Amino acid sequence: MGPVRWQVAGRAFAHIARFHPEITALRRDLHAHPELGFEEVYTAARVQESLRACGVDEIHAGIGKTGLVGVIRGRSTASRRMIGLRADMDALPMCEDNGFDWRSAKKGLMHGCGHDGHTAMLVGAARYLAETRNFDGTAVLIFQPGEEGFAGARVMIEDGLFDRFPVESVFAMHNWPGMQPGTIGLNHGAMMAAADRITIEVTGRGGHGAHAYQTIDPVLVSAHIITAVQSIVSRNVRPIDAAVISICAVQAGDLGAMSVVPGKATLVGTVRTFSDAVQEQVEQRLAELCGAVATGFGASATVRFERIYPATINTPTEALFAGDVAQGLVGARNVERNMEPSMGAEDFSFMLQKKPGAYLRIGQGVKDGAFLHNSRYDFNDEILPLGAAMHASLVEQGMPLQLAAAPKVNAKARALQ
């Protein structure tokens, strides 16, 4: 994506830039060997190998199946403080259309969201922190499996992540092609929406398409339901709130049977919201509206509302701190502190439900128009040192190393000198 065209301040960035080629090589190796959630065996092994070479104090594998945690103690641990940094490791079930040497070696699997880059950034931060240890406390580096729909963060938590490593706060970063390299963004509240799955089962009465009056057509009912549910956002949710209802798949009948009215139809979609109140309102209205529409046609409808990921909500204190750290690296004009939330979802939300923290975006720029989850996407290796420096600086500034106070010399002792 071209040479770096921005300025980054701080010793962490300068130090990490020295081994930029090594973390780039790691990132590209991970890109070439993508693995799905809870199958990150090769990835976890490469991370462990890298952390051992870095001199990390402890490595704990098998947390949340294929997840692992690296522990680095500062030059002092008198403060007993502990900060967590998280990177996701899994890839996507999609084919890659790139032709570079490090393209996916596995057909149908691809690092199409940059988790290979996130992992490499955190490994880079680990090396710097282990080599310098300019902090008072303990850094906990969380390499998480299964972010892409598997709720790996929740699985790690259920497996005792925060019981074994009781961090006081936790931070994560995601690359963002819509932002320029050298920029960092966040806000003091909702960064990502809750993601829920809805399944609507419509039951009618099948029959011959030529005698449709003898049927109760679930396809017709489904069409009215698809239209009607859009009124929930426009007429039930307050305009100052945010919600999305998308029916993304419909299955009914047989494409080879043009004259058979099916007895059932299934609709599948997603709901995105930021607040618990709106989420509950949408769930209730979906059940009421779908049931009423179906009844009006003599059919019946059931709605299954599955809560997949909660909303990703930054805590204000930690977001302010992270923004200040970012500003110290790239300057005030390159930090967006009031970033517009995304209706996408992120399972780091489970960690933020348990601990204060912040989720940030690091600009990576767009190459060939390829956004996240695009078959031609690739992580921008030029931002690896900045991402690693951001992680490391959160630790150093969050748990600053206090200089020992100079010993007091009394007047008598001074006279004897």
Side-chain angles (χ1 to χ4, degrees):
M1 291 191 181
V4 177
R5 300 179 185 276
W6 63 88
Q7 297 294 322
V8 181
R11 62 187 177 188
F13 178 83
H15 186 114
I16 294 167
R18 300 173 195 164
F19 51 81
H20 188 181
E22 289 92 329
I23 53 178
T24 296
L26 172 64
R27 201 286 297 181
R28 294 181 178 182
D29 182 56
L30 296 178
H31 188 93
H33 300 89
E35 297 170 302
L36 295 179
F38 303 129
E39 298 177 6
E40 305 97 335
V41 176
Y42 179 85
T43 305
R46 288 289 282 115
V47 170
Q48 288 187 65
E49 177 187 7
S50 298
L51 294 181
R52 281 193 294 268
C54 291
V56 168
D57 296 315
E58 301 173 14
I59 301 173
H60 302 264
I63 302 174
K65 300 181 181 179
T66 48
L68 60 111
V69 171
V71 175
I72 305 172
R73 286 181 281 275
R75 195 172 303 172
S76 169
T77 57
S79 71
R80 298 186 179 181
R81 300 183 64 191
M82 189 178 290
I83 287 178
L85 305 171
R86 171 271 204 175
D88 37 17
M89 301 189 295
D90 58 325
L92 288 158
M94 59 184 291
C95 292
E96 182 165 6
D97 289 327
N98 289 311
F100 42 65
D101 292 342
W102 57 92
R103 65 186 177 277
S104 174
K106 297 183 179 180
K107 186 177 180 179
L109 296 181
M110 177 191 176
H111 268 295
C113 202
H115 296 186
D116 50 344
H118 303 164
T119 299
M121 288 192 302
L122 192 53
V123 169
R127 177 171 172 178
Y128 168 79
L129 292 171
E131 289 178 353
T132 58
R133 300 182 186 266
N134 291 318
F135 58 98
D136 179 5
T138 302
V140 176
L141 282 59
I142 304 165
F143 294 88
Q144 181 210 302
E147 189 280 326
E148 296 286 1
F150 294 92
R154 183 182 64 196
V155 175
M156 290 192 81
I157 293 169
E158 291 172 347
D159 203 16
L161 173 65
F162 291 140
D163 296 323
R164 296 172 62 179
F165 310 98
V167 299
E168 63 183 55
S169 56
V170 63
F171 299 88
M173 262 189 300
H174 200 295
N175 76 95
W176 202 246
M179 295 168 53
Q180 290 301 309
T183 62
I184 294 173
L186 74 166
N187 63 38
H188 292 185
M191 282 289 289
M192 304 282 275
D196 302 315
R197 175 189 173 96
I198 53 174
T199 304
I200 305 169
E201 299 279 357
V202 179
T203 302
R205 183 172 66 241
H208 200 300
H211 305 281
Y213 65 92
Q214 295 177 341
T215 73
I216 299 176
D217 186 356
V219 177
L220 177 64
V221 176
S222 298
H224 281 268
I225 286 176
I226 291 170
T227 301
V229 297
Q230 298 308 314
S231 69
I232 296 174
V233 174
S234 65
R235 290 297 179 267
N236 298 131
V237 176
R238 297 189 312 165
I240 60 173
D241 291 326
V244 172
I245 303 174
S246 293
I247 304 299
C248 299
V250 180
Q251 186 176 57
D254 188 329
L255 292 177
M258 69 171 190
S259 61
V260 177
V261 175
K264 291 186 177 182
T266 302
L267 291 68
V268 174
T270 187
V271 171
R272 303 298 172 104
T273 55
F274 288 115
S275 76
D276 292 341
V278 174
Q279 185 184 45
E280 291 168 2
Q281 180 187 28
V282 170
E283 180 178 5
Q284 179 181 342
R285 288 296 296 139
L286 274 169
E288 295 170 347
L289 190 57
C290 292
V293 170
T295 298
F297 287 92
S300 63
T302 60
V303 178
R304 185 165 72 251
F305 195 100
E306 300 172 83
R307 302 193 178 196
I308 308 299
Y309 286 176
T312 303
I313 310 292
N314 288 345
T315 47
T317 299
E318 285 66 33
L320 177 62
F321 163 68
D324 290 344
V325 172
Q327 182 172 318
L329 288 171
V330 298
R333 69 176 184 174
N334 291 319
V335 179
E336 175 54 72
R337 291 177 180 261
N338 296 297
M339 173 157 277
E340 181 179 283
S342 167
M343 298 309 281
E346 160 66 69
D347 79 340
F348 184 63
S349 54
F350 290 108
M351 294 191 184
L352 290 180
Q353 285 189 329
K354 297 293 184 181
K355 299 288 181 177
Y359 181 80
L360 301 88
R361 292 196 183 122
I362 180 169
Q364 91 131 28
V366 179
K367 180 181 180 182
D368 300 328
F371 201 77
L372 302 175
H373 293 216
N374 184 292
S375 63
R376 295 191 62 81
Y377 168 89
D378 188 34
F379 188 87
N380 183 359
D381 292 321
E382 297 299 338
I383 71 170
L384 287 170
L386 174 56
M390 181 67 201
H391 276 308
S393 298
L394 287 167
V395 169
E396 286 187 333
Q397 296 181 40
M399 301 182 294
L401 186 65
Q402 303 296 326
L403 295 177
K408 293 182 179 180
V409 181
N410 59 36
K412 182 176 180 180
R414 189 179 297 111
L416 295 175
Q417 291 178 349

